[in-house]
Amino acid sequence: MSTGGGMLRLLVTGGGTGGHTYPALTTIRAVQARAASGRHVQVLWVGVGDGLEARVAAAEQIPFAQVSTGRFRRSPNRRERWANLTDLPRVPVGIGQATRIVAGFRPDVVFATGGYVALPVGVAAWLLRRRLVVHEQTLAVGAANRVLARLADRVLLSHRSSMRHLPVRAQRRAVVTGNPIRPQLLSGNPERARMTLNLDGGVPVVLVSGGAQGAQQINQLVAEVLPQLLPVCQLVHQTGPANIEQARQVAAGLPASLAARYRPVAYLHDELPDLLAAADLVVARAGAGTVAELTALGKPMVLIPLVPTGGDEQRRTARHLAEHNAAVMLDSPNPHRLCEVVLDLLADTGRRAAMAVNARLLGHPDAADRVADHLLDPPAGTRPGDGERAGRR
């Protein structure tokens, strides 16, 4: 990594969902930390004004510029087909806006994490011959990144098996870095989690999470299996803010001995690293960020993919981990099956240990630093904006 002085102008684009937004934020922090000793980093985030990325940039006090862009909906219904048509004119408008922003900011590198907002900004970077680095979080490469991979100087992948989804020329510029995760997740203290949540150190801990907003399907499943699971484990359940009262009512209806082992919480934030360190088993969705965190930590997991998602990505991801014996996938979950799987795993410490090893083999705890390296140092032998132009010479 270069440590020389001077300024690095970093333009970041990507958003729409947390899966695109939070890896971008983690990467910004990693670049700033890695360059702190010798270089000043000036960051501009470009996205949609009403998107998650705008709110995150504002909260982090990162300068933000807005572009208009269209969204292409895969396998659309009648209403969505009409929306695709009405969104189409926004694409050239967004490219024009992005071109003016890129020309004005003059970035040394443009970092795109996907989502439909990344497309016009990535195209603008290519047109103006700015170095373009694309990062893909999911197993199947997203629609925007499939286009930008043809233009990028470097394509960073979270999974080695994603390589086959890229055009042949883009594969030559692709590197597997993993999906950036927050570094604090790697330094959790299990004893602190036991103290904070009053957990019994001699009883296995199961963490159930449907993500920051919770998941109604998972919440309902958990409510039905608590009487069977709580005699053998403690269960910390992230319900989401909208469902916490319902979970508390469920807890109130349990026998006192079982209710003492059930911890419903609306949201996990500062305590999450410690709780992950303490968890013997995690039940969760199969989102890209969740899977990146759990594999980096080497956690045995039961994955309940959200269906449908764009490109069926959660089911693909869960199946991939199950094939590597790093997770159990519940494709069509029901209370009986969830209960059976969790009880079997809690009873089989050897299987859980093997799953933990396999998960860790698929994980990339250093992903943020590896991505930052590619932004701080241009690939040897390339110039800004080479991308697919090099292949056409």
Side-chain angles (χ1 to χ4, degrees):
M1 179 188 73
S2 294
T3 56
M7 177 183 289
L8 175 74
R9 292 179 179 271
L10 171 63
L11 189 150
V12 175
T13 185
T17 68
H20 298 304
T21 303
Y22 290 112
L25 176 61
T26 300
T27 299
I28 290 170
R29 289 171 172 165
V31 169
Q32 291 170 332
R34 298 292 294 275
S37 60
R39 300 171 75 178
H40 174 68
V41 180
Q42 185 174 350
V43 180
L44 176 66
W45 199 325
V46 181
V48 176
D50 60 353
L52 175 63
E53 64 271 23
R55 299 193 296 275
V56 169
E60 297 292 325
Q61 298 183 319
I62 298 171
F64 186 84
Q66 179 178 341
V67 295
S68 173
T69 184
R71 178 182 181 184
F72 179 75
R73 299 154 184 85
R74 289 176 285 186
S75 304
N77 57 35
R78 181 177 298 178
R79 177 188 295 181
E80 290 176 331
R81 283 196 293 269
W82 174 250
N84 276 348
L85 290 175
T86 57
D87 272 3
L88 196 59
R90 297 183 185 179
V91 175
V93 172
I95 293 174
Q97 293 172 338
T99 300
R100 288 191 292 273
I101 292 169
V102 173
F105 186 64
R106 297 181 60 80
D108 297 295
V109 58
V110 174
F111 179 54
T113 60
Y116 54 91
V117 69
L119 185 59
V121 184
V123 170
W126 179 76
L127 290 171
L128 295 173
R129 298 182 67 79
R130 313 314 295 180
R131 187 159 65 94
L132 175 61
V133 177
V134 172
H135 182 270
E136 176 58 52
Q137 301 83 49
T138 65
L139 198 69
V141 179
N145 278 350
R146 283 202 300 273
V147 175
L148 294 181
R150 298 178 179 273
L151 313 179
D153 299 280
R154 184 65 84 205
V155 181
L156 309 180
L157 302 175
S158 298
H159 307 275
R160 185 163 301 280
S161 57
S162 300
M163 196 77 71
R164 66 177 183 269
H165 297 288
L166 294 174
V168 173
R169 286 177 177 171
Q171 291 178 17
R172 301 169 189 164
R173 300 187 297 276
V175 178
V176 179
T177 60
N179 192 8
I181 63 171
R182 295 164 288 171
Q184 58 266 36
L185 289 176
L186 302 173
S187 55
N189 184 325
E191 290 301 323
R192 192 160 53 214
R194 294 186 184 103
M195 291 179 61
T196 301
L197 292 169
N198 193 27
L199 299 172
D200 185 340
V203 179
V205 175
V206 176
L207 170 61
V208 179
S209 174
Q213 299 304 314
Q216 188 64 34
Q217 178 196 36
I218 293 178
N219 292 341
Q220 291 173 348
L221 288 170
V222 168
E224 295 189 49
V225 299
L226 286 174
Q228 291 77 42
L229 295 185
L230 292 175
V232 297
C233 73
Q234 303 165 98
L235 197 145
V236 181
H237 179 195
Q238 180 178 307
T239 65
N243 302 304
I244 184 63
E245 288 305 321
Q246 182 179 1
R248 287 170 178 162
Q249 291 174 14
V250 170
L254 293 169
S257 60
L258 298 186
R261 291 185 169 189
Y262 180 47
R263 303 283 190 281
V265 294
Y267 184 63
L268 293 167
H269 186 57
D270 292 340
E271 66 273 41
L272 180 59
D274 296 336
L275 183 54
L276 283 170
D280 297 282
L281 180 66
V282 179
V283 180
R285 289 299 195 198
T290 298
V291 166
E293 293 167 359
L294 295 179
T295 54
L297 291 167
K299 287 294 171 181
M301 61 196 97
V302 177
L303 297 177
I304 304 175
L306 177 63
V307 181
T309 54
D312 204 18
E313 63 188 45
Q314 287 207 14
R315 193 152 50 184
R316 289 172 182 255
T317 301
R319 186 177 297 115
H320 176 71
L321 267 69
E323 289 171 350
H324 286 80
N325 193 29
V328 175
M329 172 184 174
L330 296 185
D331 197 4
S332 301
N334 59 70
H336 173 76
R337 179 61 178 151
L338 175 61
C339 187
E340 178 184 53
V341 167
V342 171
L343 289 176
D344 285 350
L345 288 173
L346 290 176
D348 193 339
T349 56
R351 185 182 178 192
R352 278 191 283 118
M355 290 172 67
V357 170
N358 293 331
R360 194 171 286 112
L361 289 173
L362 295 173
H364 298 275
D366 60 345
D369 283 337
R370 295 179 69 183
V371 172
D373 284 344
H374 286 280
L375 299 178
L376 287 163
D377 287 334
T382 65
R383 300 184 305 160
D386 279 352
E388 187 77 350
R389 287 190 178 104
R392 291 203 298 262
R393 290 187 185 123

